[in-house]
PDB file of all heavy atoms in Angstrom:
ATOM      1  N   SER X  87       4.934 -11.454  -8.274  1.00  0.00           N
ATOM      2  CA  SER X  87       3.891 -11.899  -7.347  1.00  0.00           C
ATOM      3  C   SER X  87       3.892 -11.024  -6.105  1.00  0.00           C
ATOM      4  O   SER X  87       4.942 -10.711  -5.556  1.00  0.00           O
ATOM      5  CB  SER X  87       4.120 -13.361  -6.948  1.00  0.00           C
ATOM      6  OG  SER X  87       3.997 -14.219  -8.065  1.00  0.00           O
ATOM      7  N   ALA X  88       2.706 -10.644  -5.656  1.00  0.00           N
ATOM      8  CA  ALA X  88       2.583  -9.734  -4.515  1.00  0.00           C
ATOM      9  C   ALA X  88       1.837 -10.411  -3.374  1.00  0.00           C
ATOM     10  O   ALA X  88       0.869 -11.130  -3.590  1.00  0.00           O
ATOM     11  CB  ALA X  88       1.850  -8.462  -4.924  1.00  0.00           C
ATOM     12  N   GLY X  89       2.315 -10.161  -2.160  1.00  0.00           N
ATOM     13  CA  GLY X  89       1.626 -10.603  -0.950  1.00  0.00           C
ATOM     14  C   GLY X  89       1.564  -9.450   0.029  1.00  0.00           C
ATOM     15  O   GLY X  89       1.843  -8.300  -0.333  1.00  0.00           O
ATOM     16  N   THR X  90       1.220  -9.756   1.275  1.00  0.00           N
ATOM     17  CA  THR X  90       1.043  -8.673   2.237  1.00  0.00           C
ATOM     18  C   THR X  90       2.203  -8.517   3.207  1.00  0.00           C
ATOM     19  O   THR X  90       2.290  -7.497   3.872  1.00  0.00           O
ATOM     20  CB  THR X  90      -0.223  -8.882   3.075  1.00  0.00           C
ATOM     21  OG1 THR X  90      -0.080 -10.079   3.862  1.00  0.00           O
ATOM     22  CG2 THR X  90      -1.445  -9.003   2.195  1.00  0.00           C
ATOM     23  N   GLY X  91       3.088  -9.479   3.334  1.00  0.00           N
ATOM     24  CA  GLY X  91       4.157  -9.379   4.306  1.00  0.00           C
ATOM     25  C   GLY X  91       3.622  -9.258   5.716  1.00  0.00           C
ATOM     26  O   GLY X  91       2.520  -9.722   6.046  1.00  0.00           O
ATOM     27  N   LEU X  92       4.404  -8.626   6.585  1.00  0.00           N
ATOM     28  CA  LEU X  92       4.015  -8.397   7.975  1.00  0.00           C
ATOM     29  C   LEU X  92       3.291  -7.076   8.158  1.00  0.00           C
ATOM     30  O   LEU X  92       2.602  -6.862   9.157  1.00  0.00           O
ATOM     31  CB  LEU X  92       5.263  -8.404   8.867  1.00  0.00           C
ATOM     32  CG  LEU X  92       5.898  -9.769   9.100  1.00  0.00           C
ATOM     33  CD1 LEU X  92       7.355  -9.606   9.512  1.00  0.00           C
ATOM     34  CD2 LEU X  92       5.134 -10.540  10.153  1.00  0.00           C
ATOM     35  N   GLN X  93       3.488  -6.167   7.226  1.00  0.00           N
ATOM     36  CA  GLN X  93       2.845  -4.860   7.263  1.00  0.00           C
ATOM     37  C   GLN X  93       2.341  -4.511   5.871  1.00  0.00           C
ATOM     38  O   GLN X  93       2.818  -5.041   4.869  1.00  0.00           O
ATOM     39  CB  GLN X  93       3.835  -3.764   7.686  1.00  0.00           C
ATOM     40  CG  GLN X  93       4.274  -3.793   9.132  1.00  0.00           C
ATOM     41  CD  GLN X  93       5.206  -2.632   9.448  1.00  0.00           C
ATOM     42  OE1 GLN X  93       6.188  -2.413   8.755  1.00  0.00           O
ATOM     43  NE2 GLN X  93       4.888  -1.890  10.498  1.00  0.00           N
ATOM     44  N   MET X  94       1.374  -3.641   5.813  1.00  0.00           N
ATOM     45  CA  MET X  94       1.002  -2.922   4.603  1.00  0.00           C
ATOM     46  C   MET X  94       0.887  -1.451   4.970  1.00  0.00           C
ATOM     47  O   MET X  94       0.817  -1.106   6.149  1.00  0.00           O
ATOM     48  CB  MET X  94      -0.325  -3.421   4.031  1.00  0.00           C
ATOM     49  CG  MET X  94      -0.259  -4.772   3.358  1.00  0.00           C
ATOM     50  SD  MET X  94      -1.830  -5.210   2.577  1.00  0.00           S
ATOM     51  CE  MET X  94      -2.850  -5.472   4.027  1.00  0.00           C
ATOM     52  N   ALA X  95       0.863  -0.613   3.968  1.00  0.00           N
ATOM     53  CA  ALA X  95       0.592   0.807   4.193  1.00  0.00           C
ATOM     54  C   ALA X  95      -0.593   1.201   3.329  1.00  0.00           C
ATOM     55  O   ALA X  95      -0.696   0.778   2.166  1.00  0.00           O
ATOM     56  CB  ALA X  95       1.813   1.649   3.844  1.00  0.00           C
ATOM     57  N   VAL X  96      -1.500   1.977   3.889  1.00  0.00           N
ATOM     58  CA  VAL X  96      -2.661   2.463   3.142  1.00  0.00           C
ATOM     59  C   VAL X  96      -2.589   3.996   3.139  1.00  0.00           C
ATOM     60  O   VAL X  96      -2.847   4.642   4.142  1.00  0.00           O
ATOM     61  CB  VAL X  96      -3.984   1.934   3.730  1.00  0.00           C
ATOM     62  CG1 VAL X  96      -4.125   0.451   3.439  1.00  0.00           C
ATOM     63  CG2 VAL X  96      -4.074   2.151   5.236  1.00  0.00           C
ATOM     64  N   LYS X  97      -2.204   4.544   2.003  1.00  0.00           N
ATOM     65  CA  LYS X  97      -1.980   5.982   1.841  1.00  0.00           C
ATOM     66  C   LYS X  97      -2.373   6.396   0.425  1.00  0.00           C
ATOM     67  O   LYS X  97      -2.406   5.582  -0.496  1.00  0.00           O
ATOM     68  CB  LYS X  97      -0.497   6.328   2.060  1.00  0.00           C
ATOM     69  CG  LYS X  97       0.050   6.037   3.438  1.00  0.00           C
ATOM     70  CD  LYS X  97      -0.368   7.074   4.450  1.00  0.00           C
ATOM     71  CE  LYS X  97       0.318   6.863   5.781  1.00  0.00           C
ATOM     72  NZ  LYS X  97      -0.063   7.906   6.780  1.00  0.00           N
ATOM     73  N   ASP X  98      -2.639   7.690   0.248  1.00  0.00           N
ATOM     74  CA  ASP X  98      -2.890   8.235  -1.084  1.00  0.00           C
ATOM     75  C   ASP X  98      -1.535   8.507  -1.741  1.00  0.00           C
ATOM     76  O   ASP X  98      -0.987   9.603  -1.655  1.00  0.00           O
ATOM     77  CB  ASP X  98      -3.723   9.514  -0.979  1.00  0.00           C
ATOM     78  CG  ASP X  98      -4.111  10.078  -2.343  1.00  0.00           C
ATOM     79  OD1 ASP X  98      -3.765   9.461  -3.368  1.00  0.00           O
ATOM     80  OD2 ASP X  98      -4.754  11.150  -2.369  1.00  0.00           O
ATOM     81  N   MET X  99      -1.000   7.499  -2.397  1.00  0.00           N
ATOM     82  CA  MET X  99       0.357   7.574  -2.923  1.00  0.00           C
ATOM     83  C   MET X  99       0.498   8.561  -4.083  1.00  0.00           C
ATOM     84  O   MET X  99       1.568   9.144  -4.269  1.00  0.00           O
ATOM     85  CB  MET X  99       0.816   6.184  -3.379  1.00  0.00           C
ATOM     86  CG  MET X  99       0.867   5.141  -2.267  1.00  0.00           C
ATOM     87  SD  MET X  99       2.025   5.574  -0.957  1.00  0.00           S
ATOM     88  CE  MET X  99       3.576   5.503  -1.837  1.00  0.00           C
ATOM     89  N   ASP X 100      -0.553   8.737  -4.874  1.00  0.00           N
ATOM     90  CA  ASP X 100      -0.460   9.584  -6.060  1.00  0.00           C
ATOM     91  C   ASP X 100      -1.235  10.893  -5.923  1.00  0.00           C
ATOM     92  O   ASP X 100      -1.439  11.607  -6.910  1.00  0.00           O
ATOM     93  CB  ASP X 100      -0.929   8.824  -7.307  1.00  0.00           C
ATOM     94  CG  ASP X 100      -2.270   8.130  -7.091  1.00  0.00           C
ATOM     95  OD1 ASP X 100      -2.886   8.333  -6.029  1.00  0.00           O
ATOM     96  OD2 ASP X 100      -2.704   7.387  -7.994  1.00  0.00           O
ATOM     97  N   SER X 101      -1.695  11.189  -4.703  1.00  0.00           N
ATOM     98  CA  SER X 101      -2.364  12.472  -4.402  1.00  0.00           C
ATOM     99  C   SER X 101      -3.568  12.736  -5.306  1.00  0.00           C
ATOM    100  O   SER X 101      -3.825  13.879  -5.715  1.00  0.00           O
ATOM    101  CB  SER X 101      -1.365  13.635  -4.525  1.00  0.00           C
ATOM    102  OG  SER X 101      -0.273  13.464  -3.653  1.00  0.00           O
ATOM    103  N   ASP X 102      -4.326  11.675  -5.600  1.00  0.00           N
ATOM    104  CA  ASP X 102      -5.507  11.858  -6.435  1.00  0.00           C
ATOM    105  C   ASP X 102      -6.810  11.783  -5.642  1.00  0.00           C
ATOM    106  O   ASP X 102      -7.897  11.783  -6.214  1.00  0.00           O
ATOM    107  CB  ASP X 102      -5.533  10.839  -7.580  1.00  0.00           C
ATOM    108  CG  ASP X 102      -5.720   9.400  -7.101  1.00  0.00           C
ATOM    109  OD1 ASP X 102      -5.647   9.169  -5.875  1.00  0.00           O
ATOM    110  OD2 ASP X 102      -5.928   8.517  -7.952  1.00  0.00           O
ATOM    111  N   GLY X 103      -6.690  11.709  -4.292  1.00  0.00           N
ATOM    112  CA  GLY X 103      -7.884  11.777  -3.461  1.00  0.00           C
ATOM    113  C   GLY X 103      -8.431  10.458  -2.980  1.00  0.00           C
ATOM    114  O   GLY X 103      -9.442  10.435  -2.268  1.00  0.00           O
ATOM    115  N   ASP X 104      -7.798   9.330  -3.350  1.00  0.00           N
ATOM    116  CA  ASP X 104      -8.253   8.043  -2.830  1.00  0.00           C
ATOM    117  C   ASP X 104      -7.093   7.276  -2.205  1.00  0.00           C
ATOM    118  O   ASP X 104      -5.930   7.635  -2.349  1.00  0.00           O
ATOM    119  CB  ASP X 104      -8.968   7.202  -3.900  1.00  0.00           C
ATOM    120  CG  ASP X 104      -8.138   6.996  -5.156  1.00  0.00           C
ATOM    121  OD1 ASP X 104      -6.904   7.174  -5.093  1.00  0.00           O
ATOM    122  OD2 ASP X 104      -8.715   6.652  -6.196  1.00  0.00           O
ATOM    123  N   ILE X 105      -7.423   6.219  -1.489  1.00  0.00           N
ATOM    124  CA  ILE X 105      -6.434   5.466  -0.713  1.00  0.00           C
ATOM    125  C   ILE X 105      -5.853   4.334  -1.541  1.00  0.00           C
ATOM    126  O   ILE X 105      -6.586   3.480  -2.069  1.00  0.00           O
ATOM    127  CB  ILE X 105      -7.071   4.906   0.576  1.00  0.00           C
ATOM    128  CG1 ILE X 105      -7.630   6.040   1.440  1.00  0.00           C
ATOM    129  CG2 ILE X 105      -6.038   4.090   1.364  1.00  0.00           C
ATOM    130  CD1 ILE X 105      -6.593   7.026   1.919  1.00  0.00           C
ATOM    131  N   ASP X 106      -4.542   4.311  -1.638  1.00  0.00           N
ATOM    132  CA  ASP X 106      -3.813   3.254  -2.334  1.00  0.00           C
ATOM    133  C   ASP X 106      -3.212   2.297  -1.303  1.00  0.00           C
ATOM    134  O   ASP X 106      -3.319   2.510  -0.097  1.00  0.00           O
ATOM    135  CB  ASP X 106      -2.723   3.871  -3.207  1.00  0.00           C
ATOM    136  CG  ASP X 106      -3.267   4.959  -4.131  1.00  0.00           C
ATOM    137  OD1 ASP X 106      -4.171   4.649  -4.924  1.00  0.00           O
ATOM    138  OD2 ASP X 106      -2.787   6.100  -4.044  1.00  0.00           O
ATOM    139  N   ILE X 107      -2.569   1.237  -1.785  1.00  0.00           N
ATOM    140  CA  ILE X 107      -2.037   0.182  -0.919  1.00  0.00           C
ATOM    141  C   ILE X 107      -0.583  -0.080  -1.289  1.00  0.00           C
ATOM    142  O   ILE X 107      -0.263  -0.241  -2.471  1.00  0.00           O
ATOM    143  CB  ILE X 107      -2.854  -1.115  -1.077  1.00  0.00           C
ATOM    144  CG1 ILE X 107      -4.317  -0.886  -0.691  1.00  0.00           C
ATOM    145  CG2 ILE X 107      -2.246  -2.247  -0.238  1.00  0.00           C
ATOM    146  CD1 ILE X 107      -5.249  -2.006  -1.146  1.00  0.00           C
ATOM    147  N   VAL X 108       0.288  -0.137  -0.288  1.00  0.00           N
ATOM    148  CA  VAL X 108       1.679  -0.542  -0.497  1.00  0.00           C
ATOM    149  C   VAL X 108       1.882  -1.877   0.200  1.00  0.00           C
ATOM    150  O   VAL X 108       1.577  -2.022   1.387  1.00  0.00           O
ATOM    151  CB  VAL X 108       2.667   0.500   0.048  1.00  0.00           C
ATOM    152  CG1 VAL X 108       4.103   0.081  -0.254  1.00  0.00           C
ATOM    153  CG2 VAL X 108       2.378   1.880  -0.549  1.00  0.00           C
ATOM    154  N   ALA X 109       2.382  -2.852  -0.548  1.00  0.00           N
ATOM    155  CA  ALA X 109       2.478  -4.223  -0.044  1.00  0.00           C
ATOM    156  C   ALA X 109       3.892  -4.763  -0.224  1.00  0.00           C
ATOM    157  O   ALA X 109       4.352  -4.943  -1.353  1.00  0.00           O
ATOM    158  CB  ALA X 109       1.480  -5.122  -0.776  1.00  0.00           C
ATOM    159  N   PRO X 110       4.585  -5.039   0.890  1.00  0.00           N
ATOM    160  CA  PRO X 110       5.887  -5.697   0.826  1.00  0.00           C
ATOM    161  C   PRO X 110       5.716  -7.203   0.993  1.00  0.00           C
ATOM    162  O   PRO X 110       4.620  -7.687   1.274  1.00  0.00           O
ATOM    163  CB  PRO X 110       6.608  -5.116   2.029  1.00  0.00           C
ATOM    164  CG  PRO X 110       5.502  -5.030   3.061  1.00  0.00           C
ATOM    165  CD  PRO X 110       4.238  -4.696   2.293  1.00  0.00           C
ATOM    166  N   GLY X 111       6.789  -7.933   0.871  1.00  0.00           N
ATOM    167  CA  GLY X 111       6.738  -9.367   1.119  1.00  0.00           C
ATOM    168  C   GLY X 111       7.970 -10.064   0.591  1.00  0.00           C
ATOM    169  O   GLY X 111       8.852  -9.446  -0.024  1.00  0.00           O
ATOM    170  N   LYS X 112       8.026 -11.345   0.816  1.00  0.00           N
ATOM    171  CA  LYS X 112       9.183 -12.127   0.410  1.00  0.00           C
ATOM    172  C   LYS X 112       9.305 -12.270  -1.100  1.00  0.00           C
ATOM    173  O   LYS X 112      10.333 -12.745  -1.596  1.00  0.00           O
ATOM    174  CB  LYS X 112       9.136 -13.503   1.069  1.00  0.00           C
ATOM    175  CG  LYS X 112       9.299 -13.444   2.584  1.00  0.00           C
ATOM    176  CD  LYS X 112       9.199 -14.824   3.211  1.00  0.00           C
ATOM    177  CE  LYS X 112       9.388 -14.741   4.727  1.00  0.00           C
ATOM    178  NZ  LYS X 112       9.222 -16.045   5.393  1.00  0.00           N
TER     179      LYS X 112
END
């Protein structure tokens, strides 16, 4: 199960030209 935690990161993680999302949480 995924949530947003206190922070997220929005970066092109796989270098394919679009913005991906990194989501931490409990």
Side-chain angles (χ1 to χ4, degrees):
S87 296
T90 64
L92 287 158
Q93 289 182 308
M94 286 185 291
V96 289
K97 297 283 187 179
D98 184 2
M99 298 299 295
D100 49 6
S101 301
D102 67 350
D104 54 19
I105 301 298
D106 308 302
I107 300 166
V108 183
K112 294 178 179 177

